[in-house]
Amino acid sequence: IRLTYRGDIVWYKRYNTQELKFATVLANGKFYLSGEHHFYFFDEHGEFLWGRSVPVGFENYHKIYDIESFSNGDIGLTGSIDVGPRYCFISRVDTLGNLVWTNSFGKSINSNTTHIGADLEIYDDNAYSFGETREFGGGYGNVPDVFMWKVNSSGQHQYLRTCGVLNGSSQRRDYPIDFEIDAQGFIYILVSHSNQYRTSIIKTNSNFSSQSWDYHYEKEWMKQYELEFDEAGSLFVLGSQFTTNPYKRHQFRAEIG
């Protein structure tokens, strides 16, 4: 569905395809939609242009977790490759559906290794994949940590770092939820910990090598799902909270100062 800013329907389409989970819209109104194994390109009127399967080989073993667009309209994808160990991949595909490049990390002889790219952002045409790892960054065994992986516009590796570098602990169990990059290039990550009620929002530099602050708290039955910036550059967290007396679910949007 495409709506005006007042909520009026411009057009409505139904697509006979698998479940669609992710979307990114270009400045010209064209847009991409993606499921776990396929992605599609549509014009500004919602008309289908083309569709592709995950373009990085072993298609049956790939799973897309997020998509974003580059400044020229190309699509970026991140996710996992499950062929024993789970690799993380980032791919770039042009507006005609041709693979431009793909890169991955996590090749390991340990079949229990996990590397999942759960979220993707494009900043200054560099691609950042934020996800979960159980191996890279210090050999912490099966202790989960979050990673930030950066590649440039040509797909060349720039850095790969974990949250353990930021908080100085190899044993804090961190799980990725969401991240955003502000206009100055600072990175904000939203992570949960082994205690499901504890959540942190961490601001880091553009190299993901030092943190400016770590805002965390514990509150019963609170779940945070997404970070976003408004047009003024203020950071907000979106989520929900459960109460037991009475039993209700409340949505919330909180500004982070």
Side-chain angles (χ1 to χ4, degrees):
I1 300 175
R2 181 174 181 177
L3 306 174
T4 67
Y5 73 97
R6 294 182 176 180
D8 300 320
I9 296 177
V10 179
W11 50 255
Y12 169 82
K13 301 286 185 180
R14 294 187 65 182
Y15 304 114
N16 183 22
T17 184
Q18 297 176 344
E19 180 184 5
L20 299 173
K21 295 184 176 182
F22 314 108
T24 184
V25 183
L26 307 182
N28 60 10
K30 295 181 180 180
F31 60 96
Y32 296 95
L33 298 177
S34 171
E36 292 184 346
H37 304 289
H38 302 82
F39 56 99
Y40 311 89
F41 193 38
F42 301 85
D43 69 15
E44 64 274 24
H45 305 293
E47 299 299 328
F48 175 81
L49 296 176
W50 51 257
R52 298 286 188 273
S53 60
V54 181
V56 282
F58 304 106
E59 284 80 358
N60 293 333
Y61 301 96
H62 284 68
K63 182 177 289 187
I64 300 170
Y65 282 86
D66 198 17
I67 61 174
E68 289 290 341
S69 55
F70 289 87
S71 60
N72 69 343
D74 291 355
I75 183 176
L77 310 98
T78 194
S80 68
I81 312 169
D82 191 356
V83 286
R86 302 180 81 174
Y87 311 162
C88 172
F89 74 88
I90 302 176
S91 297
R92 180 171 183 168
V93 177
D94 67 22
T95 54
L96 298 177
N98 301 311
L99 177 66
V100 179
W101 51 256
T102 189
N103 201 345
S104 64
F105 86 87
K107 296 180 179 180
S108 171
I109 60 174
N110 179 3
S111 62
N112 295 319
T113 298
T114 297
H115 309 278
I116 301 174
D119 196 9
L120 181 70
E121 293 288 342
I122 307 295
Y123 176 79
D124 198 24
D125 268 357
N126 297 300
Y128 297 77
S129 181
F130 177 57
E132 176 186 339
T133 180
R134 293 176 183 253
E135 180 187 51
F136 180 83
Y140 304 148
N142 204 37
V143 177
D145 198 356
V146 301
F147 67 81
M148 184 67 68
W149 179 31
K150 177 184 177 181
V151 300
N152 65 16
S153 59
S154 300
Q156 296 171 325
H157 172 85
Q158 302 298 296
Y159 66 71
L160 176 58
R161 299 192 175 100
T162 66
C163 198
V165 173
L166 301 174
N167 58 43
S169 171
S170 64
Q171 298 302 315
R172 193 176 84 172
R173 297 172 179 266
D174 293 328
Y175 301 88
I177 301 176
D178 193 23
F179 84 106
E180 288 286 341
I181 304 175
D182 69 14
Q184 290 74 45
F186 290 101
I187 300 171
Y188 302 76
I189 64 172
L190 178 62
V191 300
S192 64
H193 309 302
S194 53
N195 180 342
Q196 63 176 324
Y197 305 133
R198 182 181 173 94
T199 305
S200 290
I201 303 171
I202 302 172
K203 178 182 178 180
T204 81
N205 61 2
S206 60
N207 290 322
F208 206 72
S209 58
S210 65
Q211 67 183 40
S212 300
W213 45 258
D214 182 346
Y215 173 74
H216 60 269
Y217 59 89
E218 297 182 24
K219 192 163 185 177
E220 186 176 4
W221 297 111
M222 183 171 285
K223 301 288 185 180
Q224 287 120 342
Y225 296 114
E226 186 174 350
L227 294 174
E228 67 170 22
F229 285 100
D230 66 9
E231 294 181 356
S234 299
L235 180 65
F236 291 85
V237 59
L238 310 178
S240 63
Q241 182 179 5
F242 291 90
T243 59
T244 56
N245 188 21
Y247 183 82
K248 290 184 178 180
R249 180 176 181 175
H250 306 275
Q251 305 297 321
F252 71 86
R253 182 174 185 260
E255 183 175 3
I256 308 299

PDB file of all heavy atoms in Angstrom, residues 191-220:
ATOM      1  N   VAL A 191      21.072  -3.600  22.027  1.00  0.00           N
ATOM      2  CA  VAL A 191      21.365  -5.002  22.307  1.00  0.00           C
ATOM      3  C   VAL A 191      20.612  -5.451  23.557  1.00  0.00           C
ATOM      4  O   VAL A 191      20.317  -4.649  24.443  1.00  0.00           O
ATOM      5  CB  VAL A 191      22.879  -5.253  22.500  1.00  0.00           C
ATOM      6  CG1 VAL A 191      23.646  -4.878  21.248  1.00  0.00           C
ATOM      7  CG2 VAL A 191      23.424  -4.490  23.696  1.00  0.00           C
ATOM      8  N   SER A 192      20.302  -6.729  23.604  1.00  0.00           N
ATOM      9  CA  SER A 192      19.757  -7.336  24.813  1.00  0.00           C
ATOM     10  C   SER A 192      20.812  -8.252  25.409  1.00  0.00           C
ATOM     11  O   SER A 192      21.769  -8.645  24.741  1.00  0.00           O
ATOM     12  CB  SER A 192      18.480  -8.116  24.509  1.00  0.00           C
ATOM     13  OG  SER A 192      18.756  -9.208  23.642  1.00  0.00           O
ATOM     14  N   HIS A 193      20.631  -8.617  26.678  1.00  0.00           N
ATOM     15  CA  HIS A 193      21.619  -9.418  27.388  1.00  0.00           C
ATOM     16  C   HIS A 193      20.999 -10.734  27.849  1.00  0.00           C
ATOM     17  O   HIS A 193      19.823 -11.006  27.601  1.00  0.00           O
ATOM     18  CB  HIS A 193      22.179  -8.631  28.572  1.00  0.00           C
ATOM     19  CG  HIS A 193      22.648  -7.256  28.189  1.00  0.00           C
ATOM     20  ND1 HIS A 193      23.619  -7.054  27.235  1.00  0.00           N
ATOM     21  CD2 HIS A 193      22.260  -6.024  28.599  1.00  0.00           C
ATOM     22  CE1 HIS A 193      23.821  -5.757  27.080  1.00  0.00           C
ATOM     23  NE2 HIS A 193      23.007  -5.108  27.897  1.00  0.00           N
ATOM     24  N   SER A 194      21.799 -11.549  28.517  1.00  0.00           N
ATOM     25  CA  SER A 194      21.318 -12.863  28.942  1.00  0.00           C
ATOM     26  C   SER A 194      20.107 -12.736  29.854  1.00  0.00           C
ATOM     27  O   SER A 194      19.237 -13.601  29.866  1.00  0.00           O
ATOM     28  CB  SER A 194      22.440 -13.626  29.654  1.00  0.00           C
ATOM     29  OG  SER A 194      23.000 -12.843  30.694  1.00  0.00           O
ATOM     30  N   ASN A 195      20.055 -11.660  30.632  1.00  0.00           N
ATOM     31  CA  ASN A 195      18.843 -11.343  31.370  1.00  0.00           C
ATOM     32  C   ASN A 195      17.896 -10.656  30.392  1.00  0.00           C
ATOM     33  O   ASN A 195      18.161  -9.562  29.916  1.00  0.00           O
ATOM     34  CB  ASN A 195      19.151 -10.403  32.536  1.00  0.00           C
ATOM     35  CG  ASN A 195      17.920 -10.031  33.344  1.00  0.00           C
ATOM     36  OD1 ASN A 195      16.793 -10.180  32.876  1.00  0.00           O
ATOM     37  ND2 ASN A 195      18.127  -9.541  34.547  1.00  0.00           N
ATOM     38  N   GLN A 196      16.775 -11.286  30.055  1.00  0.00           N
ATOM     39  CA  GLN A 196      15.920 -10.797  28.980  1.00  0.00           C
ATOM     40  C   GLN A 196      15.311  -9.432  29.279  1.00  0.00           C
ATOM     41  O   GLN A 196      14.807  -8.755  28.385  1.00  0.00           O
ATOM     42  CB  GLN A 196      14.785 -11.790  28.717  1.00  0.00           C
ATOM     43  CG  GLN A 196      13.849 -11.988  29.895  1.00  0.00           C
ATOM     44  CD  GLN A 196      12.692 -12.903  29.552  1.00  0.00           C
ATOM     45  OE1 GLN A 196      12.186 -12.875  28.436  1.00  0.00           O
ATOM     46  NE2 GLN A 196      12.272 -13.720  30.506  1.00  0.00           N
ATOM     47  N   TYR A 197      15.341  -8.979  30.538  1.00  0.00           N
ATOM     48  CA  TYR A 197      14.775  -7.683  30.870  1.00  0.00           C
ATOM     49  C   TYR A 197      15.813  -6.565  30.786  1.00  0.00           C
ATOM     50  O   TYR A 197      15.496  -5.405  31.015  1.00  0.00           O
ATOM     51  CB  TYR A 197      14.181  -7.701  32.283  1.00  0.00           C
ATOM     52  CG  TYR A 197      13.165  -8.791  32.483  1.00  0.00           C
ATOM     53  CD1 TYR A 197      13.210  -9.602  33.608  1.00  0.00           C
ATOM     54  CD2 TYR A 197      12.169  -9.021  31.545  1.00  0.00           C
ATOM     55  CE1 TYR A 197      12.279 -10.617  33.795  1.00  0.00           C
ATOM     56  CE2 TYR A 197      11.244 -10.021  31.719  1.00  0.00           C
ATOM     57  CZ  TYR A 197      11.301 -10.825  32.850  1.00  0.00           C
ATOM     58  OH  TYR A 197      10.382 -11.817  33.022  1.00  0.00           O
ATOM     59  N   ARG A 198      17.052  -6.886  30.509  1.00  0.00           N
ATOM     60  CA  ARG A 198      18.117  -5.892  30.477  1.00  0.00           C
ATOM     61  C   ARG A 198      18.471  -5.562  29.029  1.00  0.00           C
ATOM     62  O   ARG A 198      18.726  -6.449  28.224  1.00  0.00           O
ATOM     63  CB  ARG A 198      19.353  -6.409  31.214  1.00  0.00           C
ATOM     64  CG  ARG A 198      20.512  -5.403  31.270  1.00  0.00           C
ATOM     65  CD  ARG A 198      21.684  -6.014  32.004  1.00  0.00           C
ATOM     66  NE  ARG A 198      22.856  -5.168  31.951  1.00  0.00           N
ATOM     67  CZ  ARG A 198      23.180  -4.286  32.882  1.00  0.00           C
ATOM     68  NH1 ARG A 198      22.402  -4.142  33.933  1.00  0.00           N
ATOM     69  NH2 ARG A 198      24.261  -3.553  32.769  1.00  0.00           N
ATOM     70  N   THR A 199      18.469  -4.287  28.723  1.00  0.00           N
ATOM     71  CA  THR A 199      18.748  -3.821  27.366  1.00  0.00           C
ATOM     72  C   THR A 199      19.716  -2.665  27.431  1.00  0.00           C
ATOM     73  O   THR A 199      19.675  -1.863  28.362  1.00  0.00           O
ATOM     74  CB  THR A 199      17.453  -3.374  26.669  1.00  0.00           C
ATOM     75  OG1 THR A 199      16.500  -4.435  26.698  1.00  0.00           O
ATOM     76  CG2 THR A 199      17.716  -2.993  25.227  1.00  0.00           C
ATOM     77  N   SER A 200      20.595  -2.564  26.447  1.00  0.00           N
ATOM     78  CA  SER A 200      21.542  -1.458  26.368  1.00  0.00           C
ATOM     79  C   SER A 200      21.423  -0.753  25.033  1.00  0.00           C
ATOM     80  O   SER A 200      21.211  -1.385  23.991  1.00  0.00           O
ATOM     81  CB  SER A 200      22.986  -1.942  26.537  1.00  0.00           C
ATOM     82  OG  SER A 200      23.241  -2.365  27.856  1.00  0.00           O
ATOM     83  N   ILE A 201      21.567   0.571  25.066  1.00  0.00           N
ATOM     84  CA  ILE A 201      21.751   1.382  23.871  1.00  0.00           C
ATOM     85  C   ILE A 201      23.146   1.981  23.982  1.00  0.00           C
ATOM     86  O   ILE A 201      23.439   2.707  24.932  1.00  0.00           O
ATOM     87  CB  ILE A 201      20.697   2.481  23.753  1.00  0.00           C
ATOM     88  CG1 ILE A 201      19.288   1.869  23.754  1.00  0.00           C
ATOM     89  CG2 ILE A 201      20.918   3.296  22.479  1.00  0.00           C
ATOM     90  CD1 ILE A 201      18.192   2.908  23.848  1.00  0.00           C
ATOM     91  N   ILE A 202      24.008   1.669  23.034  1.00  0.00           N
ATOM     92  CA  ILE A 202      25.409   2.058  23.109  1.00  0.00           C
ATOM     93  C   ILE A 202      25.743   2.962  21.921  1.00  0.00           C
ATOM     94  O   ILE A 202      25.430   2.631  20.777  1.00  0.00           O
ATOM     95  CB  ILE A 202      26.327   0.826  23.098  1.00  0.00           C
ATOM     96  CG1 ILE A 202      25.976  -0.106  24.272  1.00  0.00           C
ATOM     97  CG2 ILE A 202      27.796   1.229  23.166  1.00  0.00           C
ATOM     98  CD1 ILE A 202      26.705  -1.432  24.238  1.00  0.00           C
ATOM     99  N   LYS A 203      26.368   4.093  22.202  1.00  0.00           N
ATOM    100  CA  LYS A 203      26.858   4.983  21.152  1.00  0.00           C
ATOM    101  C   LYS A 203      28.347   4.745  20.982  1.00  0.00           C
ATOM    102  O   LYS A 203      29.112   4.780  21.943  1.00  0.00           O
ATOM    103  CB  LYS A 203      26.598   6.444  21.509  1.00  0.00           C
ATOM    104  CG  LYS A 203      27.138   7.436  20.471  1.00  0.00           C
ATOM    105  CD  LYS A 203      26.902   8.876  20.896  1.00  0.00           C
ATOM    106  CE  LYS A 203      27.475   9.853  19.876  1.00  0.00           C
ATOM    107  NZ  LYS A 203      27.263  11.273  20.275  1.00  0.00           N
ATOM    108  N   THR A 204      28.772   4.511  19.737  1.00  0.00           N
ATOM    109  CA  THR A 204      30.182   4.249  19.448  1.00  0.00           C
ATOM    110  C   THR A 204      30.678   5.202  18.363  1.00  0.00           C
ATOM    111  O   THR A 204      29.880   5.855  17.670  1.00  0.00           O
ATOM    112  CB  THR A 204      30.405   2.806  18.980  1.00  0.00           C
ATOM    113  OG1 THR A 204      30.088   2.698  17.584  1.00  0.00           O
ATOM    114  CG2 THR A 204      29.544   1.831  19.755  1.00  0.00           C
ATOM    115  N   ASN A 205      31.985   5.243  18.185  1.00  0.00           N
ATOM    116  CA  ASN A 205      32.538   6.006  17.075  1.00  0.00           C
ATOM    117  C   ASN A 205      32.325   5.247  15.770  1.00  0.00           C
ATOM    118  O   ASN A 205      31.842   4.112  15.754  1.00  0.00           O
ATOM    119  CB  ASN A 205      34.020   6.314  17.321  1.00  0.00           C
ATOM    120  CG  ASN A 205      34.857   5.053  17.444  1.00  0.00           C
ATOM    121  OD1 ASN A 205      34.364   3.936  17.304  1.00  0.00           O
ATOM    122  ND2 ASN A 205      36.138   5.223  17.708  1.00  0.00           N
ATOM    123  N   SER A 206      32.702   5.880  14.662  1.00  0.00           N
ATOM    124  CA  SER A 206      32.447   5.293  13.347  1.00  0.00           C
ATOM    125  C   SER A 206      33.265   4.039  13.094  1.00  0.00           C
ATOM    126  O   SER A 206      32.928   3.242  12.210  1.00  0.00           O
ATOM    127  CB  SER A 206      32.727   6.319  12.244  1.00  0.00           C
ATOM    128  OG  SER A 206      34.073   6.752  12.298  1.00  0.00           O
ATOM    129  N   ASN A 207      34.332   3.827  13.863  1.00  0.00           N
ATOM    130  CA  ASN A 207      35.154   2.625  13.715  1.00  0.00           C
ATOM    131  C   ASN A 207      34.742   1.502  14.651  1.00  0.00           C
ATOM    132  O   ASN A 207      35.386   0.456  14.682  1.00  0.00           O
ATOM    133  CB  ASN A 207      36.627   2.964  13.957  1.00  0.00           C
ATOM    134  CG  ASN A 207      37.214   3.813  12.856  1.00  0.00           C
ATOM    135  OD1 ASN A 207      36.904   3.609  11.690  1.00  0.00           O
ATOM    136  ND2 ASN A 207      38.035   4.784  13.218  1.00  0.00           N
ATOM    137  N   PHE A 208      33.694   1.735  15.450  1.00  0.00           N
ATOM    138  CA  PHE A 208      33.196   0.733  16.387  1.00  0.00           C
ATOM    139  C   PHE A 208      34.311   0.242  17.306  1.00  0.00           C
ATOM    140  O   PHE A 208      34.414  -0.927  17.640  1.00  0.00           O
ATOM    141  CB  PHE A 208      32.586  -0.455  15.634  1.00  0.00           C
ATOM    142  CG  PHE A 208      31.533  -1.199  16.430  1.00  0.00           C
ATOM    143  CD1 PHE A 208      30.299  -0.624  16.660  1.00  0.00           C
ATOM    144  CD2 PHE A 208      31.789  -2.460  16.936  1.00  0.00           C
ATOM    145  CE1 PHE A 208      29.329  -1.311  17.391  1.00  0.00           C
ATOM    146  CE2 PHE A 208      30.820  -3.144  17.665  1.00  0.00           C
ATOM    147  CZ  PHE A 208      29.592  -2.562  17.891  1.00  0.00           C
ATOM    148  N   SER A 209      35.179   1.189  17.733  1.00  0.00           N
ATOM    149  CA  SER A 209      36.335   0.821  18.543  1.00  0.00           C
ATOM    150  C   SER A 209      36.298   1.422  19.944  1.00  0.00           C
ATOM    151  O   SER A 209      37.073   1.017  20.808  1.00  0.00           O
ATOM    152  CB  SER A 209      37.631   1.247  17.840  1.00  0.00           C
ATOM    153  OG  SER A 209      37.640   2.638  17.589  1.00  0.00           O
ATOM    154  N   SER A 210      35.424   2.395  20.186  1.00  0.00           N
ATOM    155  CA  SER A 210      35.278   2.961  21.525  1.00  0.00           C
ATOM    156  C   SER A 210      33.860   3.500  21.679  1.00  0.00           C
ATOM    157  O   SER A 210      33.243   3.930  20.699  1.00  0.00           O
ATOM    158  CB  SER A 210      36.295   4.079  21.777  1.00  0.00           C
ATOM    159  OG  SER A 210      36.052   5.176  20.929  1.00  0.00           O
ATOM    160  N   GLN A 211      33.347   3.456  22.895  1.00  0.00           N
ATOM    161  CA  GLN A 211      31.978   3.895  23.120  1.00  0.00           C
ATOM    162  C   GLN A 211      31.948   5.254  23.811  1.00  0.00           C
ATOM    163  O   GLN A 211      32.788   5.571  24.648  1.00  0.00           O
ATOM    164  CB  GLN A 211      31.201   2.867  23.938  1.00  0.00           C
ATOM    165  CG  GLN A 211      31.666   2.695  25.377  1.00  0.00           C
ATOM    166  CD  GLN A 211      30.894   1.593  26.089  1.00  0.00           C
ATOM    167  OE1 GLN A 211      30.605   0.557  25.510  1.00  0.00           O
ATOM    168  NE2 GLN A 211      30.535   1.831  27.333  1.00  0.00           N
ATOM    169  N   SER A 212      30.947   6.069  23.444  1.00  0.00           N
ATOM    170  CA  SER A 212      30.740   7.359  24.082  1.00  0.00           C
ATOM    171  C   SER A 212      29.899   7.208  25.339  1.00  0.00           C
ATOM    172  O   SER A 212      30.148   7.859  26.346  1.00  0.00           O
ATOM    173  CB  SER A 212      30.060   8.326  23.108  1.00  0.00           C
ATOM    174  OG  SER A 212      30.853   8.512  21.957  1.00  0.00           O
ATOM    175  N   TRP A 213      28.876   6.356  25.261  1.00  0.00           N
ATOM    176  CA  TRP A 213      28.067   6.072  26.443  1.00  0.00           C
ATOM    177  C   TRP A 213      27.345   4.752  26.257  1.00  0.00           C
ATOM    178  O   TRP A 213      27.205   4.242  25.150  1.00  0.00           O
ATOM    179  CB  TRP A 213      27.085   7.200  26.785  1.00  0.00           C
ATOM    180  CG  TRP A 213      26.301   7.801  25.638  1.00  0.00           C
ATOM    181  CD1 TRP A 213      26.543   8.980  25.020  1.00  0.00           C
ATOM    182  CD2 TRP A 213      25.126   7.261  25.013  1.00  0.00           C
ATOM    183  NE1 TRP A 213      25.615   9.218  24.040  1.00  0.00           N
ATOM    184  CE2 TRP A 213      24.724   8.194  24.023  1.00  0.00           C
ATOM    185  CE3 TRP A 213      24.365   6.107  25.178  1.00  0.00           C
ATOM    186  CZ2 TRP A 213      23.614   7.993  23.197  1.00  0.00           C
ATOM    187  CZ3 TRP A 213      23.258   5.902  24.359  1.00  0.00           C
ATOM    188  CH2 TRP A 213      22.895   6.836  23.400  1.00  0.00           C
ATOM    189  N   ASP A 214      26.899   4.200  27.381  1.00  0.00           N
ATOM    190  CA  ASP A 214      26.172   2.924  27.414  1.00  0.00           C
ATOM    191  C   ASP A 214      24.993   3.121  28.351  1.00  0.00           C
ATOM    192  O   ASP A 214      25.149   3.166  29.567  1.00  0.00           O
ATOM    193  CB  ASP A 214      27.087   1.809  27.910  1.00  0.00           C
ATOM    194  CG  ASP A 214      26.391   0.434  27.928  1.00  0.00           C
ATOM    195  OD1 ASP A 214      25.157   0.390  27.821  1.00  0.00           O
ATOM    196  OD2 ASP A 214      27.099  -0.566  28.077  1.00  0.00           O
ATOM    197  N   TYR A 215      23.806   3.301  27.768  1.00  0.00           N
ATOM    198  CA  TYR A 215      22.595   3.498  28.557  1.00  0.00           C
ATOM    199  C   TYR A 215      21.883   2.160  28.688  1.00  0.00           C
ATOM    200  O   TYR A 215      21.497   1.548  27.690  1.00  0.00           O
ATOM    201  CB  TYR A 215      21.681   4.520  27.878  1.00  0.00           C
ATOM    202  CG  TYR A 215      20.329   4.659  28.535  1.00  0.00           C
ATOM    203  CD1 TYR A 215      20.204   5.326  29.751  1.00  0.00           C
ATOM    204  CD2 TYR A 215      19.188   4.125  27.956  1.00  0.00           C
ATOM    205  CE1 TYR A 215      18.973   5.444  30.372  1.00  0.00           C
ATOM    206  CE2 TYR A 215      17.953   4.247  28.564  1.00  0.00           C
ATOM    207  CZ  TYR A 215      17.852   4.911  29.760  1.00  0.00           C
ATOM    208  OH  TYR A 215      16.637   5.020  30.365  1.00  0.00           O
ATOM    209  N   HIS A 216      21.764   1.656  29.903  1.00  0.00           N
ATOM    210  CA  HIS A 216      21.098   0.373  30.089  1.00  0.00           C
ATOM    211  C   HIS A 216      20.230   0.402  31.339  1.00  0.00           C
ATOM    212  O   HIS A 216      20.463   1.186  32.258  1.00  0.00           O
ATOM    213  CB  HIS A 216      22.115  -0.769  30.191  1.00  0.00           C
ATOM    214  CG  HIS A 216      23.081  -0.630  31.327  1.00  0.00           C
ATOM    215  ND1 HIS A 216      24.282   0.014  31.185  1.00  0.00           N
ATOM    216  CD2 HIS A 216      23.010  -1.036  32.615  1.00  0.00           C
ATOM    217  CE1 HIS A 216      24.920  -0.017  32.347  1.00  0.00           C
ATOM    218  NE2 HIS A 216      24.175  -0.636  33.221  1.00  0.00           N
ATOM    219  N   TYR A 217      19.244  -0.447  31.346  1.00  0.00           N
ATOM    220  CA  TYR A 217      18.347  -0.539  32.493  1.00  0.00           C
ATOM    221  C   TYR A 217      17.631  -1.881  32.452  1.00  0.00           C
ATOM    222  O   TYR A 217      17.602  -2.572  31.436  1.00  0.00           O
ATOM    223  CB  TYR A 217      17.330   0.609  32.501  1.00  0.00           C
ATOM    224  CG  TYR A 217      16.459   0.686  31.276  1.00  0.00           C
ATOM    225  CD1 TYR A 217      15.255  -0.001  31.202  1.00  0.00           C
ATOM    226  CD2 TYR A 217      16.850   1.447  30.181  1.00  0.00           C
ATOM    227  CE1 TYR A 217      14.460   0.070  30.070  1.00  0.00           C
ATOM    228  CE2 TYR A 217      16.063   1.525  29.054  1.00  0.00           C
ATOM    229  CZ  TYR A 217      14.863   0.837  29.014  1.00  0.00           C
ATOM    230  OH  TYR A 217      14.090   0.908  27.886  1.00  0.00           O
ATOM    231  N   GLU A 218      17.033  -2.215  33.553  1.00  0.00           N
ATOM    232  CA  GLU A 218      16.234  -3.425  33.663  1.00  0.00           C
ATOM    233  C   GLU A 218      14.830  -3.042  34.091  1.00  0.00           C
ATOM    234  O   GLU A 218      14.635  -2.282  35.028  1.00  0.00           O
ATOM    235  CB  GLU A 218      16.846  -4.391  34.685  1.00  0.00           C
ATOM    236  CG  GLU A 218      18.227  -4.883  34.302  1.00  0.00           C
ATOM    237  CD  GLU A 218      18.772  -5.882  35.316  1.00  0.00           C
ATOM    238  OE1 GLU A 218      17.963  -6.515  36.004  1.00  0.00           O
ATOM    239  OE2 GLU A 218      19.993  -6.008  35.408  1.00  0.00           O
ATOM    240  N   LYS A 219      13.850  -3.552  33.384  1.00  0.00           N
ATOM    241  CA  LYS A 219      12.465  -3.311  33.743  1.00  0.00           C
ATOM    242  C   LYS A 219      11.634  -4.501  33.293  1.00  0.00           C
ATOM    243  O   LYS A 219      11.800  -4.993  32.177  1.00  0.00           O
ATOM    244  CB  LYS A 219      11.936  -2.029  33.097  1.00  0.00           C
ATOM    245  CG  LYS A 219      10.595  -1.598  33.665  1.00  0.00           C
ATOM    246  CD  LYS A 219      10.295  -0.152  33.319  1.00  0.00           C
ATOM    247  CE  LYS A 219       9.012   0.295  34.001  1.00  0.00           C
ATOM    248  NZ  LYS A 219       8.710   1.721  33.758  1.00  0.00           N
ATOM    249  N   GLU A 220      10.767  -4.942  34.145  1.00  0.00           N
ATOM    250  CA  GLU A 220      10.037  -6.175  33.889  1.00  0.00           C
ATOM    251  C   GLU A 220       9.171  -6.063  32.647  1.00  0.00           C
ATOM    252  O   GLU A 220       8.480  -5.075  32.437  1.00  0.00           O
ATOM    253  CB  GLU A 220       9.154  -6.512  35.096  1.00  0.00           C
ATOM    254  CG  GLU A 220       8.460  -7.864  34.961  1.00  0.00           C
ATOM    255  CD  GLU A 220       7.666  -8.210  36.204  1.00  0.00           C
ATOM    256  OE1 GLU A 220       7.601  -7.383  37.112  1.00  0.00           O
ATOM    257  OE2 GLU A 220       7.124  -9.312  36.237  1.00  0.00           O
TER     258      GLU A 220
END
